[in-house]
Amino acid sequence: EKQQIGGAKCAVKISGTVLKEDLVKFQQVLDEVERKRLKLHMNAIQLDLGGGDPEVAKTMGRMIRAKKLNTFLATNDRCVSACVFLAIAGMDRMIYGSVLVHRLMLIRENLSEDSIRQAIKEHRQEDDQYIAEMDGSVLLAEALHFTPNWGLRRLTKDEVQHWGIFGADPVHEAIMFQRGAQETGLSKTKFNAAYVDALDECRKAQYEFKSLALDCAIDRIKRRPPKKQ
């Protein structure tokens, strides 16, 4: 779903359930954004998903990462099951809503015991590889694997914040902080300190989907540069 915000800005939201046909739709939307030279608000893909095909979600997640996009889940929205593969794909992962996970549900009929064993083993390996690729925690992988497919585990705020679901890709964050120091004319150490001072104000702006915390901090520091020691 793409929504024009005004001028050259737009918003893209993935909602409902992720299905195979959504791969083509998502690629078409990304191509349109690029072709029309539109700017994604906060460079983010918004999420509100009740699950879907995990393989499709991982493919879409890799598309998000390849484009160096961010992900955003509003506080009143949900990211269920396969959605977590999309959430952790963002360069900046602004995940404020509910995250619920469970392990793979095999939907193919009349599988032999050996086929079931092999399918679960292969999917587990693929999930582990994907989560590692996205700098997610092994604890997230374990939460997926050890939650029954007929149930859901709601991750706590602490788990979301410390398992790589919320936050920034480490390399991306280092690059962005270097950019911030250059734009504000500060050393990296002084910029980091000024960023921390701006956090209360800028976390609120990010939470409300108004501005990335880093962009907000850079703007704030430019308007109110720290006093020279």
Side-chain angles (χ1 to χ4, degrees):
E1 175 191 348
K2 181 176 75 69
Q3 179 183 0
Q4 200 74 25
I5 294 177
K9 294 190 72 175
C10 70
V12 172
K13 188 171 188 176
I14 304 174
S15 58
T17 304
V18 173
L19 303 173
K20 195 170 184 179
E21 53 266 32
D22 293 321
L23 279 175
V24 175
K25 295 177 183 177
F26 188 50
Q27 185 64 65
Q28 288 174 338
V29 169
L30 293 180
D31 289 345
E32 181 186 358
V33 169
E34 189 171 319
R35 185 176 65 255
K36 293 183 177 180
R37 297 183 179 180
L38 298 172
K39 184 176 177 62
L40 277 176
H41 180 56
M42 291 173 60
N43 197 40
I45 301 296
Q46 300 174 69
L47 304 172
D48 184 16
L49 282 163
D53 187 323
E55 299 312 308
V56 171
K58 281 181 274 191
T59 299
M60 293 173 73
R62 288 189 170 104
M63 292 162 69
I64 289 171
R65 182 57 67 96
K67 294 284 187 181
K68 296 183 178 181
L69 303 176
N70 305 320
T71 48
F72 181 87
L73 180 73
T75 183
N76 293 324
D77 289 338
R78 301 201 311 162
C79 185
V80 181
S81 186
C83 173
V84 74
F85 296 127
L86 292 165
I88 65 174
M91 303 302 287
D92 274 299
R93 303 177 284 273
M94 300 164 281
I95 308 302
Y96 299 104
S98 299
V99 179
L100 301 97
V101 301
H102 66 94
R103 67 171 168 253
L104 171 75
M105 180 181 294
L106 294 176
I107 59 175
R108 285 175 288 170
E109 302 289 343
N110 302 318
L111 292 172
S112 67
E113 289 187 13
D114 285 343
S115 295
I116 291 173
R117 188 175 294 108
Q118 185 63 26
I120 290 175
K121 179 182 178 181
E122 289 175 357
H123 280 285
R124 180 167 183 163
Q125 290 173 341
E126 290 169 2
D127 289 353
D128 290 350
Q129 179 183 340
Y130 179 87
I131 290 170
E133 181 184 331
M134 298 298 166
D135 291 306
S137 170
V138 294
L139 296 176
L140 171 59
E142 289 179 3
L144 265 67
H145 301 323
F146 295 117
T147 302
N149 59 26
W150 43 262
L152 285 170
R153 173 175 171 176
R154 183 185 297 271
L155 301 186
T156 66
K157 184 176 180 181
D158 186 67
E159 288 168 343
V160 169
Q161 289 189 337
H162 292 94
W163 288 1
I165 304 168
F166 182 96
D169 171 83
V171 174
H172 170 73
E173 185 175 65
I175 292 170
M176 291 299 99
F177 267 67
Q178 178 168 281
R179 188 203 87 191
Q182 291 170 345
E183 287 191 21
T184 56
L186 300 175
S187 68
K188 289 182 180 179
T189 302
K190 288 184 178 179
F191 176 78
N192 282 12
Y195 175 81
V196 171
D197 287 342
L199 264 183
D200 285 344
E201 176 184 330
C202 292
R203 277 177 175 161
K204 185 174 184 292
Q206 183 169 283
Y207 176 83
E208 295 174 349
F209 202 52
K210 292 179 179 178
S211 171
L212 287 167
L214 182 64
D215 289 342
C216 165
I218 291 172
D219 181 64
R220 184 180 183 271
I221 293 166
K222 284 179 176 179
R223 288 185 283 108
R224 288 174 280 175
K227 294 179 180 180
K228 293 183 179 181
Q229 299 294 323

